[in-house]
Amino acid sequence: MESTTLADLRPGKCAVITGFADENVPLKLLEMGLLPDNEVCVKGWAPLKDPIHIVVAGYEIALRKDEAKFVLVVPVNIEAQLEI
Amino acid sequence: MKIALVGNPNTGKTTLFNKLTGLNQKVGNYPGITVDKKVGYFKLESGKNIQLIDLPGTYSLNASAKDEEIVTEALSNKNFIEYPEAVIVVADATNLKRNLLLFTQVLDLKLPCVLVLNMSDVAIKRGIDVDVLKMAQKFGVPVVSINARKGLGVDELKSVLEKPLSPPVQQVFKPLEINAEFVEKAKSVLHSDSNYSAWLIANTPNFAFITEHEEQELNKIRKALNINTQRNKVSETVARYGFIDNIIKECVSKKETKYSSFTGKLDAILTHKIWGFFIFIAILLLIFQAIFSWSEWPMELIDNLFGTASTWVLSVFPEGPVANLLADGIIPGIAGVVIFIPQIAILFAFIALLEETGYMSRVVYIMDKIMRQFGLNGKSVVPLLSGMACAIPAVMATRSISNFKERLITILVTPFMTCSARLPVYTILIALVIPNTKYFGFMNLQGMVLLSLYLFGFVMAILSAVVFNKILKSAHVSQLIMEMPPYKVPHWRNVILTIVEKVKSFVFTAGKIIVAISIVLWALASYGPGNRREVAIQQIEVQAADNNWNEETKNLHLMSAKLENSYMGIFGKSIEPVIKPLGYDWKIGIALIASFAAREVFVGTMATIYSVGEEGDPAQGVKAQMAKDVDLETNQPRFTFAVAVSLLIFYALAMQCMSTIAVVYRETKGWKWPLIQFGFMTGLAYLLSFLAYQFLK
C-alpha cells in the first residue's frame, strides 16, 4: 500500500500511522494518541470537507486537514467498522 | 489539607468535584492571570478538612493555552500560592492510555498522588476491566476505581485520603538522559531542585509564570545548546507512551463488545451536510426564543420588586441625600444587575446542556471552516452566542481558544452581538418611529425591524473580524485538535452548578462596576456647580406661581430643571456640538453618557429628563413624552425617523458598557485592547449614525 497523509484518507477508510511529515508536528496530536503504529480511521468530514473526524485508540477527535497533513499513514485494506 | 484535582477534559473530573464538595464551592482568581480558580471544601470522617482545588482540564503539562499553564505552574512551583500537598488525578477508563500521559507527568513531579479511574457507564459497557491492585503496585501510588455519576467508590477515595500519602518513588521519564547540561542549567536559572519541573518550564518558551530575567536566561541557554523544545517534548511524549503501553498490557483487559452505534447514528444526522446546519439554526432559534419569552415574567417581577423597594425607602426614610442615594442611586443600580440574571441563567443553562450532551463539539466541528474565513475559530461560536445575552460572560467564554489572535478577535467583536441591555432601548425607539403594521397577517413591521437589528449586530461582528484579521499579525499557527466525546444524557447537577457559577461571576465582576457607576451617575445628576440649581429652582417656583401650575406639573418641571442644571446636564450640553451632526440634542447627550453604566439606563434617564410621572408604565410614559418633544429650531418633532435610526445604529455599535471594558481589560491583561476596542466601536457608531442621519433627514 502506498504511503499518504491522514488528510488524504477518505471517510470510512482506515490506516496505520507510520510517522510524521516533519518535526513541527503539533505536539497535541501526539498527546491525543496519534502515535506511530496506531490504527486510525476517518469517520467523516465536516460539511465543508474540513475539519475531519477520526477514531484513534478507541476514541474520537476532530482536527483540521492542515494538522492531518503532518500524519503519515499507510492505508489498510479493511473497511472501517464504523456505522456511517 | 490542600489537594489539587487534575485530569483530561471530559473525564468526569467536574462531576467528581461537585460530588465531593457539593455547593461548598468558591470561584476566585489566580493573582495576575485570568483563569477562574475553583475551590471547594469537604470534611473526611475523621474530621480532617480538605480544601480541593479544581484545576482546568488538560491533556498534558505541556501547556498550549493560558488555562493549561496554570496547571503546570500549580504543580511545579513550590512557592505558588495554591501549591498542593497532594494531587488527585482523574482518568477516564475508556481512554486510559491517553489519560495516563498526564498522570505519569504528575508522577514525575514527585507530589503525593492518588489515581482515580472513573469507570464511566461506557467503559463498563465496553467490557473494560482494570486490575486496580496491579496498577497501584506498578505506579507505586493508590489507585481507586469510582463511578463519579453514581457516586460509587467516592467513600473509598475518602478513606484513601485519610491515610498519609507519600511522594512517589518511580521516575517514568528521565530528562537527564535526554540532555543533562540543559536540565542542570535550567535548574540553576529557575532555582529548582527538580529535574522534571525545570525541564517542563525550560521547554515552554514564554511561560507566563517566570520573570522576564529568567525567560531571557533560558533563551540564552536554549540558543547556546541549540535546543528544539518541540522535539524535546515529542521525545518525552513518545517515551511516556512506551511506558504506558506496557502498563496497559499488564493491567487492562478488554472484552470484545459491540461498539455503541448510538453516537455514530446521531453524528450522521447532526453533522450532516445539510441537516447539520439546519438543526444548529433550529437550536439557535429555540435558545433565542427561550431567552426572551421565558425571562419576561421574572424580569418584570424583579423590576416591580426594586421599584417598590425604592418607593418604600422614600416613604420611610426622612427626605435627604441618604434616602435619595438609596432610592435613586443604589437600588436602581442593583436592579440593573439583577434584572439580567434570568436571561444569563437561561442562556448558560442551554450552553451547559449543549456542552454536557457533547453537541457543542459538533457545533465547533461544523462551523470551524466558516469561522476560519473571518479569522475566527470554530470555538468562537460559543462566545458569539453568549454575546446575545451579555458580552461579559461571553468574553470570559473565549478562554478555550488557544490561539491568541483568534481569541483576541473573538473578544473584540463579541460586543457587537445584540445583548439584552440593548433591547429596552430598541423597543422604545422602534415603538416611537416604526408603525405597528402587519404584513401577510403575521409579520409585524416592528418585529422585523428588531430582528434586522440583531442581524445588523451579527454582520458587523463578522465584518469587523475580517478587518482585525487583516490588521493583526500572529506568529502562532491556528489549530483545532479537539475531542469529540460520545453523546451523553446531561447530568443535571452539573448544569445547575454551571448556571450558579456563571451568574455568580456576572454579579461579582459586572455587578460591582454597574452599581459603582450608577452611584457616580446619580451623584452627577443630583448635584450641580455653585448655586445654579437653586437659581433654576427659584425660577420654576416663580413660573409656577405665574402660571398657576398644580403641584404635579410644578414637580415635573422642577425635576427636569434640576437635571438640566446638574453636572450631568452641563456635561450633556457641552457635548451637544459633537453629537448634533448625528441629530441629537443635549437631552439625548445625557442619556448617551448615562448609558455607559449599562445601555438600558437610556430609558430611565429619558424618563427623568422628560419628567415622567410615576403612574402607569414608565416606558409608555417616556414614549409619549418623547413623541411630544419638539425641536425648537425646526419646529418639527425631535424624534424624527432619521434621529431614531441614527440612535438605533449608535446603540447597536457603540461600546457603551463599562463592565465589558473592564472584563476585556482583565482578559487581555492591559488597557491596550479595551481602548482600541472602545475607539473602534464608538468611532464606527459615530460614523454610521452620522451618515444615516444626514441621508435620512
Side-chain angles (χ1 to χ4, degrees):
Chain A
M1 275 285 175
E2 229 176 287
S3 177
T4 171
T5 77
L6 182 56
D8 300 318
L9 206 62
R10 309 286 308 178
K13 300 285 180 196
C14 292
V16 172
I17 299 171
T18 53
F20 301 103
D22 63 69
E23 60 188 20
N24 293 321
V25 50
L27 186 64
K28 198 141 191 185
L29 286 182
L30 280 84
E31 289 172 8
M32 296 289 256
L34 282 152
L35 295 156
D37 299 332
N38 275 5
E39 192 183 77
V40 55
C41 294
V42 178
K43 198 173 158 180
W45 288 354
L48 300 169
K49 298 205 161 54
D50 194 15
I52 65 172
H53 184 171
I54 61 166
V55 182
V56 65
Y59 56 90
E60 304 181 9
I61 57 181
L63 71 162
R64 290 179 182 166
K65 284 189 174 167
D66 284 345
E67 286 125 28
K69 276 182 195 146
F70 283 103
V71 184
L72 303 176
V73 295
V74 170
V76 285
N77 224 350
I78 48 159
E79 284 294 307
Q81 289 191 334
L82 297 167
E83 46 299 312
I84 295 169
Chain B
M1 188 161 90
K2 201 180 262 183
I3 298 180
L5 192 62
V6 301
N8 287 188
N10 305 311
T11 48
K13 182 167 76 75
T14 306
T15 310
L16 176 64
F17 181 74
N18 291 342
K19 201 104 220 170
L20 284 170
T21 63
L23 272 172
N24 205 355
Q25 305 179 359
K26 264 203 283 194
V27 179
N29 245 300
Y30 292 101
I33 51 151
T34 59
V35 175
D36 280 338
K37 179 168 82 178
K38 256 171 87 181
V39 182
Y41 303 88
F42 65 99
K43 216 179 205 148
L44 297 178
E45 217 155 87
S46 64
K48 198 161 147 190
N49 281 311
I50 305 280
Q51 183 191 355
L52 192 64
I53 303 142
D54 187 17
L55 291 168
T58 178
Y59 292 104
S60 76
L61 295 178
N62 311 317
S64 64
K66 283 283 155 265
D67 49 353
E68 290 171 7
E69 281 188 5
I70 190 77
V71 185
T72 310
E73 173 68 6
L75 301 183
S76 65
N77 180 0
K78 292 196 169 81
N79 300 319
F80 188 62
I81 158 168
E82 295 301 352
Y83 187 70
E85 289 156 75
V87 185
I88 298 175
V89 183
V90 186
D92 175 5
T94 39
N95 297 334
L96 204 50
K97 191 171 159 182
R98 193 198 61 209
N99 277 259
L100 288 178
L101 177 70
L102 175 66
F103 171 72
T104 62
Q105 288 186 312
V106 175
L107 204 65
D108 285 352
L109 286 170
K110 301 281 179 253
L111 272 161
C113 59
V114 181
L115 175 61
V116 169
L117 300 179
N118 189 16
M119 294 296 283
S120 63
D121 300 344
V122 189
I124 296 161
K125 262 186 217 145
R126 289 199 199 163
I128 292 168
D129 189 39
V130 184
D131 188 340
V132 173
L133 284 177
K134 200 167 187 183
M135 193 174 267
Q137 206 184 1
K138 290 273 169 200
F139 284 129
V141 302
V143 179
V144 183
S145 165
I146 65 160
N147 183 327
R149 268 185 182 227
K150 294 188 178 142
L152 304 173
V154 173
D155 285 337
E156 197 193 335
L157 172 64
K158 284 185 179 168
S159 71
V160 167
L161 297 177
E162 296 272 15
K163 288 169 241 156
L165 296 161
S166 47
V169 215
Q170 169 116 273
Q171 181 86 27
V172 176
F173 168 72
K174 301 175 182 77
L176 290 177
E177 286 175 9
I178 304 265
N179 193 334
E181 195 185 355
F182 178 47
V183 174
E184 291 302 341
K185 284 192 168 156
K187 265 163 77 179
S188 78
V189 169
L190 297 165
H191 306 290
S192 167
D193 55 1
S194 154
N195 291 340
Y196 185 57
S197 102
W199 162 270
L200 260 180
I201 293 165
N203 276 310
T204 310
N206 301 316
F207 187 63
F209 295 91
I210 58 172
T211 62
E212 222 164 282
H213 172 74
E214 286 169 332
E215 177 64 28
Q216 279 168 4
E217 290 298 307
L218 286 180
N219 246 335
K220 274 187 214 157
I221 298 171
R222 283 192 287 252
K223 269 215 182 101
L225 299 176
N226 200 10
I227 298 290
N228 181 334
T229 57
Q230 174 81 5
R231 196 189 300 149
N232 274 345
K233 285 180 172 179
V234 169
S235 359
E236 179 190 337
T237 308
V238 172
R240 285 187 189 280
Y241 270 121
F243 177 84
I244 293 165
D245 273 338
N246 281 330
I247 298 260
I248 298 240
K249 248 176 235 159
E250 288 184 51
C251 308
V252 183
S253 67
K254 198 176 157 185
K255 272 181 251 142
E256 277 308 316
T257 44
K258 235 186 132 194
Y259 191 81
S260 154
S261 63
F262 175 67
T263 291
K265 279 180 187 147
L266 256 184
D267 265 339
I269 304 166
L270 294 179
T271 63
H272 185 269
K273 264 181 236 170
I274 298 152
W275 298 121
F277 290 117
F278 236 57
I279 293 167
F280 177 50
I281 291 169
I283 290 174
L284 278 188
L285 289 177
L286 174 74
I287 297 175
F288 194 71
Q289 174 69 23
I291 289 177
F292 294 107
S293 60
W294 299 356
S295 64
E296 212 167 299
W297 70 264
M299 286 175 86
E300 245 166 62
L301 188 78
I302 292 166
D303 202 25
N304 290 335
L305 221 67
F306 280 93
T308 317
S310 281
T311 323
W312 178 80
V313 165
L314 284 178
S315 68
V316 171
F317 284 76
E319 204 174 309
V322 177
N324 283 336
L325 174 64
L326 268 176
D328 299 330
I330 295 174
I331 292 176
I334 296 173
V337 178
V338 176
I339 196 107
F340 289 117
I341 291 178
Q343 290 191 336
I344 288 175
I346 293 170
L347 177 81
F348 278 100
F350 274 102
I351 288 184
L353 269 177
L354 296 185
E355 256 161 19
E356 277 277 304
T357 51
Y359 180 67
M360 206 51 112
S361 311
R362 273 72 186 180
V363 172
V364 174
Y365 177 65
I366 64 172
M367 294 300 289
D368 182 64
K369 181 91 184 267
I370 301 172
M371 302 307 274
R372 230 190 304 167
Q373 313 296 318
F374 309 115
L376 298 165
N377 185 295
K379 289 182 180 168
S380 310
V381 175
V382 183
L384 289 177
L385 211 68
S386 316
M388 295 199 316
C390 178
I392 296 149
V395 168
M396 294 194 283
T398 59
R399 285 175 198 159
S400 64
I401 305 170
S402 59
N403 180 284
F404 181 70
K405 183 182 162 187
E406 289 173 337
R407 175 161 180 241
L408 185 63
I409 295 178
T410 311
I411 290 176
L412 293 177
V413 305
T414 293
F416 278 121
M417 299 299 285
T418 303
C419 67
S420 44
R422 286 178 175 106
L423 200 61
V425 185
Y426 287 176
T427 317
I428 196 166
L429 288 170
I430 288 175
L432 205 57
V433 293
I434 308 288
N436 192 13
T437 36
K438 279 207 164 106
Y439 292 95
F440 313 113
F442 67 95
M443 271 172 16
N444 177 301
L445 186 62
Q446 294 187 335
M448 286 197 306
V449 172
L450 186 63
L451 188 66
S452 48
L453 279 164
Y454 274 90
L455 277 176
F456 180 60
F458 174 70
V459 170
M460 290 314 285
I462 294 295
L463 290 179
S464 311
V466 174
V467 172
F468 284 123
N469 188 32
K470 287 265 183 305
I471 300 170
L472 297 173
K473 294 274 168 284
S474 167
H476 293 276
V477 197
S478 159
Q479 269 188 10
L480 183 87
I481 302 170
M482 165 190 71
E483 201 178 341
M484 300 278 264
Y487 291 105
K488 275 186 300 211
V489 178
H491 201 39
W492 291 105
R493 199 186 163 91
N494 289 350
V495 175
I496 289 163
L497 286 169
T498 306
I499 299 172
V500 171
E501 190 195 317
K502 295 292 175 184
V503 168
K504 260 193 194 165
S505 83
F506 166 75
V507 169
F508 293 115
T509 41
K512 274 188 263 177
I513 297 166
I514 295 179
V515 171
I517 292 180
S518 303
I519 293 170
V520 171
L521 287 174
W522 166 82
L524 288 177
S526 309
Y527 297 95
N531 62 349
R532 241 180 112 146
R533 293 175 84 226
E534 282 67 37
V535 173
I537 291 166
Q538 274 167 14
Q539 278 173 356
I540 296 284
E541 297 280 2
V542 173
Q543 279 180 22
D546 287 351
N547 298 328
N548 268 335
W549 284 344
N550 62 18
E551 193 65 18
E552 199 186 325
T553 322
K554 193 182 106 185
N555 275 337
L556 292 182
H557 281 269
L558 268 178
M559 269 170 78
S560 92
K562 279 183 195 167
L563 184 63
E564 193 180 338
N565 291 290
S566 67
Y567 287 110
M568 182 120 78
I570 294 162
F571 200 16
K573 282 195 170 155
S574 71
I575 66 161
E576 202 178 44
V578 182
I579 56 176
K580 208 162 181 173
L582 311 186
Y584 314 154
D585 64 358
W586 65 272
K587 292 178 198 163
I588 301 176
I590 295 179
L592 285 185
I593 295 164
S595 292
F596 278 93
R599 293 179 178 91
E600 83 283 3
V601 168
F602 176 82
V603 180
T605 314
M606 286 312 233
T608 313
I609 299 171
Y610 286 107
S611 321
V612 178
E614 283 296 311
E615 73 277 13
D617 179 3
Q620 282 300 320
V622 186
K623 196 192 127 193
Q625 291 294 326
M626 281 164 69
K628 272 190 231 159
D629 192 20
V630 168
D631 185 347
L632 291 175
E633 282 174 32
T634 57
N635 253 341
Q636 296 287 315
R638 153 68 47 206
F639 286 93
T640 58
F641 181 69
V643 171
V645 169
S646 161
L647 258 181
L648 283 173
I649 293 177
F650 196 85
Y651 272 86
L653 302 179
M655 175 55 133
Q656 285 170 294
C657 181
M658 292 288 184
S659 331
T660 307
I661 293 174
V663 135
V664 173
Y665 163 73
R666 218 175 62 125
E667 294 291 315
T668 58
K669 285 200 270 180
W671 283 113
K672 181 181 168 193
W673 294 111
L675 287 176
I676 288 174
Q677 184 179 33
F678 177 82
F680 178 76
M681 292 183 70
T682 312
L684 194 67
Y686 189 88
L687 183 72
L688 290 187
S689 299
F690 172 75
L691 290 177
Y693 177 69
Q694 297 299 334
F695 273 113
L696 291 171
K697 77 168 177 187

